[in-house]
Amino acid sequence: MRKSYSITHGKSHPLLYSFWFLLLLATVTLLASENPAVKFVDVTSRSGITFKHDNAATPEKYFIETMGAGCGWIDYNNDGLLDAYLVQSAETPIYKPTEPLRSALYRSNGDGSFTDVTLEAGVGAEGLFGMGVAVADYDNDGFQDLYVIGWHRSILYRNQGNGTFEDVTEKAGVANQGRWGSSAAFFDYDKDGNPDLMVVNYVVWSPENNIYCGERRPGYRTYCHPNNYDGQLPTLYHNNGDGTFREVTREAGMGDEPGKGLGIVTSDFNDDGWIDVFQANDTIRNFLFLNNGDGTFRDATFMAGVGYSEDGKAEAGMGTDAADYDGDGRPDIYVTHLDFEMDRLYRNNGDETFEDATYKAQIGNQVIKFSGFGTRFFDYDNDGRIDLFVANGHILDNIHLYHDDVGYAESNLMFRNLGGGRFTNVSSELGSDFTTPRVSRGAALGDYDNDGDLDILVSNNGQAPRLLRNDGGNTNSWLAISLEGTKSGRDGIGARIKVVAGDLTQVKEAKGGMSYQSAQDPRIYFGLGSHMQAEEVEITWPSGTVDRLDNVPANRIVTVREGAGIVERSYPKLDSP
């Protein structure tokens, strides 16, 4: 017998009240899981990070004063906790600080706080006018090493596995002498199991060729436009597998045209199994180098359509990242630019061409008055869709004299992925700490407290950095994968990971470079929404080995060893201060 309940004279049956209450509760729960209330909280001071960037500013407006610096994450002591590295400048012929300037390594204490261990670790890079940092286990010994990029030279610190590092720059042959290095990427371009190194170099500048730019009246001198200086070739170093590198820039096909490189990201853009390179260039066309698979690259920029804006203009390419934002399995590209240009979103068409999707994605003019530097695709709320972060700050400290509606310090931006290839600006919803204006440059993502949502470390020019803790991103489920290569490089850079959880299918890569002058958490994070497991995880390693895992529980960090599957490793979850 079928039983029905009716509403009569404004009165309802108690079971109907229960039905509507449960339906409302389910709806609220679903909405919460899709869009949790996330805030980013500035925990820099309480974390014990006291570093402040000194940009060596002088009235002479040396160009190097305004372009740095970066920051990065490294688990240098293999305790499962991320440690922070912050890049510093140095004295110049006309700037003499009272105390020596050093970059800084902060060790995680395991309780959400950090301790400065720079001196005991030996990684201060004193005397180097630093720009960026890259991290990788270049010698495959199980300990991550540091490469500090700077003006006129760079430094490679080899991790000795006992809490200290050794400067092996000369022995390794990676000084990048005489060049203005900006960002760098470790990646195994020839699949020999040894991470190679590419440095993007900026312009030919020195104190001797510093010129006067801006109006000749008090306060109006400015930092010069890069058009006043010649560009430089990138530097590609091949890892010989014995602790040394050999420069192969020209023989690898990257020596035909100088760039003005600021950002780099490596990814397999044409799905042929070989890692390619995208270089963001300032005021000249970008470079897309596709890997030929024989130790050489071809410049495919013009055919690909990623060198210029949609209307054919070269823009101020600074930071960059690549990821599959629209769920078609192909890595797309984002590039940040100066104000009164637009950051560019290049959608991968799957045939070695890209579409300028900036307006279609609804980003467009929202960035028109910002100068973007560090940028990353990441799923900040773990709903299974990749969002987009941009750290902003102007080049000119007196920009207000030239444009009264543009500031030197600028706020961060976050674009939430709505699906269907569209984003919406949610910056104002993420808390006042997130939008506090700063002169930002580098940006590094890392789950420093191992709670499943990615936090943001931002370096600021001439200012203290900011550690923005993600509060609420782990309301949704997540899965993080740490790679341990055997046949492939130890870091697994170049591996492609496919994760299927219910109706969500995501493809991500272990990439080199990313953002601007910064090093990222090497673990790969997947937002799973309301799903409590990943039914399928497939890892395709650079060596060709494929590991498949079934029914991996959510809300944990797992280490996958090439050819062996999941292996035990501890990642302590912290109670942040």
Side-chain angles (χ1 to χ4, degrees):
M1 179 179 178
R2 182 179 178 182
K3 193 170 183 179
S4 63
Y5 299 98
S6 61
I7 301 176
T8 309
H9 302 302
K11 297 181 179 180
S12 301
H13 193 283
L15 287 179
L16 188 59
Y17 279 124
S18 299
F19 168 78
W20 287 112
F21 174 78
L22 291 173
L23 180 61
L24 177 61
L25 181 62
T27 301
V28 170
T29 302
L30 177 62
L31 290 174
S33 70
E34 289 184 345
N35 188 16
V38 176
K39 302 293 181 185
F40 283 88
V41 180
D42 187 345
V43 295
T44 314
S45 59
R46 70 183 93 165
S47 74
I49 295 176
T50 58
F51 178 89
K52 182 181 179 181
H53 182 254
D54 186 333
N55 59 3
T58 68
E60 292 300 307
K61 303 286 185 180
Y62 278 3
F63 203 0
I64 52 174
E65 298 170 5
T66 193
M67 298 306 296
C71 56
W73 295 109
I74 177 174
D75 181 5
Y76 81 97
N77 54 1
N78 282 353
D79 63 356
L81 300 167
L82 292 178
D83 312 297
Y85 192 81
L86 296 152
V87 179
Q88 187 58 285
S89 67
E91 69 172 39
T92 69
I94 57 174
Y95 180 76
K96 307 294 181 183
T98 56
E99 299 291 334
L101 297 178
R102 299 185 185 93
S103 297
L105 175 64
Y106 283 90
R107 183 192 66 219
S108 174
N109 297 323
D111 59 3
S113 68
F114 295 82
T115 295
D116 187 337
V117 294
T118 308
L119 294 179
E120 64 189 74
V123 291
E126 188 174 330
L128 173 70
F129 204 108
M131 290 288 153
V133 60
V135 172
D137 182 3
Y138 80 91
D139 53 0
N140 291 324
D141 66 351
F143 293 93
Q144 290 188 311
D145 310 296
L146 273 169
Y147 187 65
V148 188
I149 309 113
W151 172 74
H152 206 60
R153 66 185 179 96
S154 298
I155 299 174
L156 177 61
Y157 288 112
R158 179 181 175 271
N159 191 333
Q160 300 187 94
N162 60 2
T164 68
F165 292 75
E166 176 190 9
D167 183 343
V168 296
T169 311
E170 296 307 318
K171 175 185 175 182
V174 291
N176 203 38
Q177 196 72 39
R179 305 177 179 109
W180 180 346
S182 179
S183 299
F186 284 97
F187 70 117
D188 184 7
Y189 73 85
D190 55 357
K191 294 190 183 181
D192 64 356
N194 300 309
D196 308 299
L197 172 64
M198 181 168 168
V199 185
V200 293
N201 299 309
Y202 193 36
V203 298
V204 180
W205 176 91
S206 70
E208 291 72 32
N209 72 356
N210 193 59
I211 60 178
Y212 191 104
C213 294
E215 297 181 25
R216 290 188 176 274
R217 51 176 170 151
Y220 278 77
R221 184 171 185 174
T222 67
Y223 294 104
C224 289
H225 193 279
N227 282 350
N228 291 283
Y229 303 101
D230 294 331
Q232 297 183 313
L233 293 174
T235 310
L236 180 62
Y237 292 107
H238 176 261
N239 189 331
N240 298 320
D242 59 0
T244 68
F245 292 77
R246 180 173 65 92
E247 185 181 342
V248 295
T249 310
R250 293 185 184 276
E251 67 185 77
M254 294 182 173
D256 291 340
E257 182 180 341
K260 296 182 180 181
L262 290 176
I264 181 174
V265 62
T266 70
S267 182
D268 183 3
F269 290 110
N270 57 357
D271 197 25
D272 65 353
W274 296 89
I275 306 178
D276 311 304
V277 178
F278 178 81
Q279 174 176 320
N281 285 319
D282 189 2
T283 69
I284 63 174
R285 72 174 180 93
N286 303 313
F287 295 154
L288 176 63
F289 295 112
L290 294 183
N291 194 328
N292 294 320
D294 59 1
T296 68
F297 294 81
R298 65 187 186 277
D299 185 346
T301 314
F302 291 107
M303 292 298 294
V306 294
Y308 301 93
S309 66
E310 190 174 27
D311 52 357
K313 295 180 180 178
E315 296 177 304
M318 292 186 283
T320 187
D321 195 13
D324 175 23
Y325 79 91
D326 56 355
D328 62 4
R330 299 187 290 263
D332 312 294
I333 299 173
Y334 192 75
V335 189
T336 60
H337 295 126
L338 204 62
D339 60 327
F340 299 106
E341 296 175 343
M342 289 185 297
D343 296 355
R344 294 291 167 180
L345 177 62
Y346 296 106
R347 179 181 175 273
N348 192 330
N349 295 320
D351 58 0
E352 297 189 358
T353 70
F354 290 75
E355 168 197 6
D356 187 337
T358 312
Y359 277 109
K360 187 179 293 186
Q362 299 181 357
I363 296 172
N365 286 328
Q366 295 189 71
V367 297
I368 197 73
K369 292 185 179 180
F370 292 88
S371 293
F373 282 87
T375 185
R376 283 298 314 277
F377 285 107
F378 79 113
D379 187 357
Y380 80 90
D381 54 1
N382 284 325
D383 67 352
R385 295 188 293 263
I386 298 177
D387 311 302
L388 180 59
F389 168 78
V390 184
N392 301 292
H394 210 277
I395 292 292
L396 307 183
D397 54 357
N398 56 359
I399 183 60
H400 62 282
L401 298 177
Y402 291 90
H403 296 287
D404 57 12
D405 55 347
V406 176
Y408 182 42
E410 300 176 346
S411 62
N412 298 321
L413 290 171
M414 185 78 81
F415 295 97
R416 184 170 185 265
N417 193 329
L418 299 175
R422 297 175 298 114
F423 292 86
T424 187
N425 188 342
V426 295
S427 308
S428 63
E429 302 173 17
L430 301 180
S432 58
D433 287 351
F434 182 83
T435 54
T436 301
R438 291 291 187 273
V439 187
S440 297
R441 296 293 184 258
L445 298 183
D447 185 8
Y448 84 94
D449 48 6
N450 287 339
D451 68 349
D453 47 31
L454 285 164
D455 313 294
I456 307 173
L457 179 64
V458 181
S459 58
N460 300 307
N461 183 270
Q463 301 173 329
R466 303 183 75 208
L467 176 56
L468 298 172
R469 188 184 66 207
N470 185 331
D471 286 356
N474 57 10
T475 302
N476 280 325
S477 297
W478 55 276
L479 176 66
I481 298 175
S482 178
L483 299 173
E484 186 180 309
T486 53
K487 295 179 182 179
S488 305
R490 179 83 177 202
D491 296 319
I493 299 173
R496 178 170 288 196
I497 306 173
K498 177 183 177 182
V499 169
V500 179
D503 59 344
L504 295 174
T505 298
Q506 301 173 64
V507 177
K508 296 186 179 182
E509 289 180 86
K511 299 172 292 186
M514 298 172 279
S515 190
Y516 177 82
Q517 300 182 346
S518 299
Q520 312 299 314
D521 187 338
R523 301 169 297 188
I524 314 299
Y525 277 70
F526 293 85
L528 303 184
S530 60
H531 303 290
M532 296 308 297
Q533 69 173 10
E535 289 82 20
E536 176 188 345
V537 175
E538 180 181 275
I539 303 173
T540 304
W541 299 83
S543 68
T545 299
V546 178
D547 285 314
R548 293 183 176 89
L549 311 172
D550 296 324
N551 302 321
V552 181
N555 302 323
R556 65 196 60 202
I557 305 169
V558 297
T559 296
V560 180
R561 181 176 295 155
E562 184 177 8
I566 295 176
V567 297
E568 277 299 316
R569 190 180 174 195
S570 175
Y571 297 95
K573 182 179 178 181
L574 309 184
D575 293 324
S576 299

